[in-house]
Amino acid sequence: MGFELKILGANSAIPTATRNTTSQLISINQSHYLIDCGEGTQIQMRKYRVKMQRIKTIFISHLHGDHFFGLIGLLNTMHLLGRQNELSIFCPPGLREIINLQLKVADSRLNFEIKFEELEFNNGQNHIYSDNIADVYTIPLDHRIPCNGFLFVEKPKNRRIKKELIDKLKIPIEQLPKIKEGADFHREDGRVFQNEEITLPPRKSYSYAFCSDTRYNDRIVPFIENVDLLYHEATFTEAFRERAQQTYHSTARDAATIAEKAKVGKLIIGHYSARYKNFDQHLEEAREVFANTELALDGHTFSSRDL
Ligand SMILES: [Zn+2]
């Protein structure tokens, strides 16, 4: 399995019958990361068959309710379903207190540890997380309250050994990991096979930038340059440009302008105002500026095959 992004909710403040508030799941080689957790996210997970216990880390962009009101419910369900593995939550300061208070008044204790990692807010980009699959960095956004986006960068992959050569050259199994990392093969008879002769280049590593709530601000461009996939909020169409500015949100054209300036591969727009019945106008306005734009819609997935 490669890289996959699943949209669990793409509406702004108010959910509708068919559209939930913000949440996304990124899966990279069987590692699952949740970004934001609007109310009802756990129901979306049921609907779209997400195995919630496999989520190892949660990233919360900011403390507006449509981005985190689903968290206590999700944590409670993880507990009731027997979770024991520690869960890390990267979030703004304040969330730890909110969750702990909710647990305290209910006289509840979870069976698993939550490690809250409170994030700083500044105008720069911070490296906040790393495992053997990916690195995660913040993206400083411009919203009414402190808000971070997140940049996921898949780690470089190993070279691939040409399968037919393993038998042919009698490469011992214990040497395969080193060769995948770039070592030459020194055979017992003294012959040396250069790494480039016996391997293929690594498969592509992908990058994804999640730009949660923000008004247009091109200071983020250097932080997301050349990403394969960009999600940028597009709460409004041009008809509501003024409203977008006032509420620290973006229009579809704003999102596309950022995508164009950052030379990204593909743009996904979302966080639609509940006033819209469909998003044809969003898509049209965005595509005028950046052709490779798609809509984030609940239940849709974008995988490395689409990139
Ligand atoms: Zn917000």
Side-chain angles (χ1 to χ4, degrees), residues 3-21:
F3 170 96
E4 189 181 270
L5 172 72
K6 189 182 278 289
I7 307 296
L8 296 171
N11 234 31
S12 68
I14 304 170
T16 67
T18 54
R19 288 146 45 189
N20 216 66
T21 51

Side-chain angles (χ1 to χ4, degrees), residues 50-69:
V50 171
K51 296 196 168 73
M52 62 176 71
Q53 300 293 34
R54 292 193 184 167
I55 293 168
K56 50 195 259 182
T57 314
I58 300 178
F59 298 86
I60 301 291
S61 64
H62 67 302
L63 294 185
H64 279 151
D66 54 328
H67 294 258
F68 85 97
F69 278 174

